[in-house]
Amino acid sequence: MAISKKKRRRRRRIRIQIILIILVLLGLGYYYFGGYAQEIKQIKEESTKYVNGSNTDTFKNDQTTTIVDINGTELASMNNGDESYYLTYEEIPQVFEQAIISIEDKKFYDHNGVDYKAILRAIIAAVRKGEVTQGGSTITQQLAKNVFLTQDRKWERKVEEIFIAIKLEEKYSKQEIMEFYLNNIYFANRLYGIQAASRGYFNRDAKYLTLSEVAFLCAIPNNPSLYDPLTNMDATLERRDLILQNMYEDGKISLSEYKNALAEEIVLDIPEDEKNDYEETYITNCAIRALMQADGFEFEVSFDSEEEEDQYDIEYAEEYAQCQEDLITGGYTVYTSINPKLQKKLQKAVNKELKSFKKKNDEGIYELQGAAVCINNSTGYVSAIVGGRSQDYEGYTLNRAYQSFRQPGSAIKPLLVYTPSLEQGYTPDTIVEDKKIEDGPKNADGSYSGKIKLRTAVALSKNTVAWQLFDELGPANGLEYLLNMNFSHIEEDDYRLASALGGFTTGVSAVEMASGYATLINDGTYRAPTCVMEIVDSDGNQVEFERETTQIYKKNACRMMTSMLETVLESGTGKGLALSDMSCAGKTGTTNENKDGWFVGYTPYYTTSVWVGYDIPKKLTNLQGSSYPGQIWKNFMEQANQGLDNQEFASYTEQLTSDEEETENDD
């Protein structure tokens, strides 16, 4: 399936390019004869209207995107910067213009808005190589797209872009177009225009940057995700070097300037105020992915080869960057499920439990960290998300709740081993054997209990039992459950028995764990985790995107699993973490050498996952799932469920012989 999706995307992109070559190079005659005359005419008229109605203020104004919480209260807003960041052509250092022309549009001062030869080269390359490897858009076309159009790839949008570019060249001078362009292009991390980028990355005005720093910034707009200096510094530097080479070959800089700029070390200086709250970064990510889906992008988590995965990553980065730009400047209203009261309580619970760990790294960030996610069980939406401890420090925040992937330890067993085994005929009362296994794992306490009920094995987190059941089930079958719930970092080496105990190559995120356990309490129905419920564009139209819902486990298996997870809190590894006056179920997880601690559990109302550990994994002697993570979970869940009526979890029946019988007899 993954290969066919990839081929469809490639064919779509090539088809767009072929249509353009017919339109631009062979004229519009084919479309008139083919019945597209009226459509082309309308596009041209609309393009003329856009440009005729524009003035210099058109290129200074932005549309602010607003984010609101579950109560309809504004959480944050985002746009392409303050108007005070706008620079006139006279204020723009000439080196910026030289750098951007050398890499984006060498014939800028010669064409009328469209470089037909560049488009031809792009089409020929696409046809020869079977994929799009070159761009054909001029600086004027890019300006047209950024200011007047959406980021979709339909041929109509591309044709309109060309018409607008031609009209812009008729109305404005080259210097004005260059001014508009350099003040509107996107430099990643919510930075628009050269002044915002200069301040955002170097904490200085554009006029004070060196040649090397200018070339470095001009590397970013070509693909803001790929050349984001905060995540892909090497790639940004490589493109900086290419720009400097082009500038030298174009005669814009001397050989000595070229060599000195190449040798200059780039040191970022991020202003202190350029950082986002944890919920805002997660909301932005969810909203971007919703726009990607609305644009037809198909998400994948498994691949048949490394080459296929690499190609997907490239396409993902390109689409993400386009939709990120669209979100920030599109004037959307993003309605979220974030509950501000729960958000504060969850953050406070993490901070309070870890407050005694005051050691910081060289960047001034607390070394011991935590992450937590709370999902509303009635909707499946994320109510609160914490990506680390609260603190004031310079730089951008890492949201560990969805951006960090760690070993889950035994917390993964219910999703990977136990619930799938319950589907195969096991019950909480099935007798299993806790025994020493040759070349197998040891139990945490080093003891073996012999024949015990499965309920007891789960409560005491018996590694030997999980190992045997996973061996019987088969790693491929067990991991399939995780893939179906979009666990995004299942690697080839994870198809082994050690995965039964959480021994993954890369790991899982707190968001993934929360959504997995929320699937259990939701009778096996998985709902893709997100906090974005609705997006409305600037014209009041609802953006159409679907939230994935999939039946993963059988209902009865989930209810049996919940019953056993209740026992974990009553008499097992989570004893002492049970909530007062509220039904609850959960599981601890501790990795080798106590490097990662997890607790994931739920009540009828909320599911919450908690991780505690170091960003660079190292041992913490007293770290266990039941210690810091468990206490964070308990403290928060007590408050989250306060005042709610206690409800018993749905009861399970004896394992039946068919799905039909289970459906008929379950409550």
Side-chain angles (χ1 to χ4, degrees), residues 50 63 148 150 330-333 535-543:
Y50 279 147
Q63 297 189 75
F148 295 103
T150 64
Y332 294 99
T333 300
I535 300 178
V536 176
D537 67 20
S538 58
D539 295 322
N541 302 311
Q542 185 171 331
V543 177

Side-chain angles (χ1 to χ4, degrees), residues 40-55 148-149 159-168 170-172:
I40 295 295
K41 181 181 178 181
Q42 290 176 352
I43 292 175
K44 186 175 182 180
E45 290 176 351
E46 187 176 67
S47 302
T48 302
K49 183 179 179 181
Y50 279 147
V51 178
N52 288 347
S54 70
N55 54 44
F148 295 103
L149 303 173
V159 172
E160 190 166 19
E161 171 190 304
I162 292 172
F163 279 134
I164 292 175
I166 294 173
K167 288 296 181 181
L168 284 173
E170 293 176 358
K171 182 169 184 176
Y172 299 104

Side-chain angles (χ1 to χ4, degrees), residues 492-510:
E492 183 178 352
D493 290 342
D494 292 334
Y495 288 81
R496 58 185 180 182
L497 293 179
S499 293
L501 313 181
F504 290 97
T505 305
T506 302
V508 301
S509 71

Side-chain angles (χ1 to χ4, degrees), residues 266-395:
I266 296 295
V267 180
L268 301 181
D269 182 9
I270 310 298
E272 183 176 355
D273 60 349
E274 295 296 330
K275 58 187 179 71
N276 301 317
D277 293 334
Y278 295 125
E279 66 268 33
E280 185 180 342
T281 59
Y282 181 63
I283 292 168
T284 300
N285 180 69
C286 291
I288 291 170
R289 287 175 62 90
L291 293 179
M292 291 170 69
Q293 189 189 67
D295 193 37
F297 189 86
E298 299 177 41
F299 299 104
E300 300 170 18
V301 294
S302 61
F303 307 90
D304 293 333
S305 66
E306 290 185 8
E307 292 76 13
E308 183 181 321
E309 184 174 4
D310 290 341
Q311 180 62 32
Y312 173 83
D313 290 342
I314 292 172
E315 294 177 3
Y316 181 96
E318 291 176 350
E319 181 75 11
Y320 192 96
Q322 288 184 351
C323 291
Q324 183 179 42
E325 180 177 350
D326 191 26
L327 174 69
I328 294 173
T329 63
Y332 294 99
T333 300
V334 180
Y335 295 93
T336 78
S337 55
I338 295 297
N339 184 319
K341 291 183 179 180
L342 293 181
Q343 180 68 31
K344 291 179 181 179
K345 293 179 187 301
L346 187 57
Q347 184 70 71
K348 185 176 180 179
V350 172
N351 293 344
K352 182 179 179 181
E353 192 61 32
L354 303 181
K355 66 179 181 180
S356 62
F357 296 89
K358 302 183 183 300
K359 189 174 182 180
K360 299 179 180 179
N361 60 20
D362 293 338
E363 297 176 347
I365 300 172
Y366 287 123
E367 289 192 351
L368 185 67
Q369 284 291 343
V373 177
C374 175
I375 289 178
N376 185 315
N377 291 335
S378 65
T379 65
Y381 284 106
V382 173
S383 293
I385 181 166
V386 170
R389 298 166 64 182
S390 296
Q391 65 177 120
D392 294 325
Y393 60 90
E394 295 184 0

Side-chain angles (χ1 to χ4, degrees), residues 397-409:
T397 56
L398 168 69
N399 193 325
R400 297 164 186 82
Y402 78 96
Q403 293 177 315
S404 294
F405 296 84
R406 302 300 289 264
Q407 305 298 312

